[in-house]
Amino acid sequence: MDINVVNALTYEDFVKLFGNVVEKCPLISAAIWSHRPFKDLADIEAHITEFIIRLPDSGKAGILRCHPDLAGRDLQSGTLTRESQEEQSRAGMTTLDSAEVLQMYRLNSEYKERFGFPFVICARLNKKADIVGQLSERLKNDRAAERERAIEEVKKICSLRLRNIVLSDIQTKL
Amino acid sequence: MDINVVNALTYEDFVKLFGNVVEKCPLISAAIWSHRPFKDLADIEAHITEFIIRLPDSGKAGILRCHPDLAGRDLQSGTLTRESQEEQSRAGMTTLDSAEVLQMYRLNSEYKERFGFPFVICARLNKKADIVGQLSERLKNDRAAERERAIEEVKKICSLRLRNIVLSDIQTKL
């Protein structure tokens, strides 16, 4: 997708296309539409990052709280967003055996109890074993450091989702 | 619903219950969960208002852009949120004749073209004729003033949605 095509989108089409690059936070894409014209995809990404960074700590935690658990209730009940479903599936979260499901449930619960938000990791960049490992490891962080750490993962997820939208659009056009 | 019940909710249940008090912006409820314990419903409302006020102008416009048109595409195609459907229905937006639908379409288009966000009004507090009148009237505002004006409407909608959640819960319990 050419950046001129993106810059020509109405806010309605822009939010429809990019509304879930930050999970369940269409507010963010809707906000950065104000900064058109964008120079390129990196410029869109930079505006999203800027918006997130300037939020108060509660807002950053709020972004995290809009994310589903990995291998959690939404996956079991089929209520994940399309993007999350795809990412969790690729990371092997949909084919865990019952012992692994229980392990994820326990670690997720411990994490949420400790931090007040869910464990967020860019599933596309991590395999199953790495995810479990990092979940155990990051449980040792203090809350402020872990919030920032998790927001870094949100940015990675956002970056890949942005790229994915552009690529699928080109594929549709071919 | 007793405020102690609200304060005892996990962030997951809190976001499930209050996630749409600001249309399609669960980020906001998810953020203000950080401020528990709440003193009362007014305290929850005050935290939401505070969060919105502190957003940059782009963020306020972003909130508005998460709202559907009145008597617009989402109403026609049945894709409104439950809350919006109920509010638009009560305000008579679901029973417009074809001339009225066209009038709303024209005014909404003109408004969006001028401001870059949709016309937002607390439908519960306005009848059909008032809505059309205000839409024509507010088209005369400058962009910054109208953004602030529309955010005032978002706060009214939020306030009534909050009250509605508490009331329905009490009714369920009776």
Side-chain angles (χ1 to χ4, degrees):
Chain A
M1 187 192 295
D2 192 88
I3 196 67
N4 296 318
V5 176
V6 176
N7 286 330
L9 293 172
T10 63
Y11 76 81
E12 290 166 297
D13 287 338
F14 185 84
V15 175
K16 198 183 282 179
L17 254 177
F18 295 97
N20 210 46
V21 292
V22 179
E23 179 78 6
K24 292 188 181 167
C25 294
L27 162 57
I28 299 177
S29 318
I32 65 114
W33 184 83
S34 296
H35 298 295
R36 289 163 317 131
F38 303 111
K39 289 196 289 286
D40 48 29
L41 194 63
D43 190 36
I44 299 181
E45 202 176 324
H47 281 295
I48 292 176
T49 298
E50 178 77 8
F51 187 89
I52 293 174
I53 285 174
R54 292 193 175 202
L55 285 175
D57 289 343
S58 65
K60 289 177 191 158
I63 291 177
L64 299 174
R65 290 183 193 122
C66 290
H67 285 71
D69 285 357
L70 275 162
R73 199 161 50 176
D74 283 317
L75 186 147
Q76 312 301 335
S77 60
T79 51
L80 285 175
T81 61
R82 185 178 50 75
E83 293 87 346
S84 274
Q85 176 68 40
E86 202 176 301
E87 290 156 3
Q88 294 208 24
S89 170
R90 283 193 191 190
M93 293 293 111
T94 49
T95 52
L96 301 180
D97 64 34
S98 56
E100 289 169 325
V101 167
L102 195 62
Q103 184 189 27
M104 283 301 291
Y105 176 79
R106 282 188 185 142
L107 287 169
N108 276 327
S109 300
E110 194 183 338
Y111 184 101
K112 289 187 284 185
E113 179 67 28
R114 176 160 165 72
F115 298 117
F117 49 77
F119 175 69
V120 175
I121 188 168
C122 181
R124 286 204 186 196
L125 298 179
N126 291 278
K127 292 188 179 154
K128 193 167 73 177
D130 303 321
I131 289 174
V132 176
Q134 287 222 32
L135 179 39
S136 307
E137 194 57 32
R138 283 167 49 186
L139 262 167
K140 298 171 194 161
N141 286 339
D142 71 45
R143 189 174 300 173
E146 181 53 20
R147 188 182 53 235
E148 295 308 313
R149 179 72 184 76
I151 286 292
E152 289 307 311
E153 297 296 317
V154 169
K155 291 185 207 162
K156 290 181 203 168
I157 296 168
C158 173
S159 179
L160 292 175
R161 287 186 181 183
L162 276 170
R163 270 153 192 69
N164 201 41
I165 291 165
V166 173
L167 280 176
S168 1
D169 192 69
I170 286 169
Q171 282 161 352
T172 317
K173 284 182 180 167
L174 288 176
Chain B
M1 187 193 294
D2 192 88
I3 195 67
N4 295 318
V5 176
V6 176
N7 286 329
L9 293 172
T10 63
Y11 75 81
E12 289 164 298
D13 288 337
F14 186 83
V15 174
K16 198 181 284 176
L17 255 176
F18 296 96
N20 210 46
V21 293
V22 180
E23 180 78 6
K24 293 189 182 166
C25 295
L27 162 56
I28 299 178
S29 318
I32 65 114
W33 184 82
S34 296
H35 298 294
R36 289 164 315 133
F38 303 111
K39 289 198 288 285
D40 48 31
L41 195 63
D43 191 35
I44 298 180
E45 202 175 325
H47 280 296
I48 292 176
T49 298
E50 178 77 6
F51 187 89
I52 294 174
I53 286 174
R54 293 195 174 201
L55 285 175
D57 290 344
S58 65
K60 289 176 191 159
I63 290 177
L64 299 174
R65 292 183 192 121
C66 290
H67 285 71
D69 284 358
L70 275 161
R73 198 161 54 175
D74 283 318
L75 188 148
Q76 312 300 336
S77 60
T79 51
L80 286 174
T81 61
R82 186 178 50 74
E83 294 87 347
S84 275
Q85 176 68 40
E86 202 176 301
E87 290 156 3
Q88 294 208 25
S89 171
R90 283 192 192 191
M93 293 294 112
T94 51
T95 52
L96 301 181
D97 63 34
S98 55
E100 290 170 324
V101 168
L102 195 61
Q103 182 188 28
M104 284 301 292
Y105 176 79
R106 283 187 184 141
L107 287 169
N108 276 328
S109 299
E110 195 183 337
Y111 184 100
K112 289 187 284 184
E113 180 65 28
R114 175 160 165 75
F115 297 118
F117 49 78
F119 175 70
V120 175
I121 188 169
C122 181
R124 287 205 185 197
L125 298 179
N126 291 277
K127 291 187 179 154
K128 193 167 73 176
D130 303 321
I131 290 175
V132 176
Q134 288 223 31
L135 180 37
S136 308
E137 194 58 31
R138 284 169 46 187
L139 262 166
K140 300 171 193 161
N141 286 339
D142 71 45
R143 188 174 301 172
E146 180 54 19
R147 188 182 54 236
E148 294 307 314
R149 178 71 185 77
I151 285 293
E152 289 307 311
E153 296 296 316
V154 169
K155 290 185 206 162
K156 290 181 203 166
I157 297 168
C158 173
S159 180
L160 292 175
R161 287 186 181 182
L162 276 170
R163 270 153 193 68
N164 201 42
I165 292 165
V166 173
L167 281 175
S168 2
D169 191 70
I170 285 169
Q171 283 161 351
T172 318
K173 282 182 180 167
L174 288 176

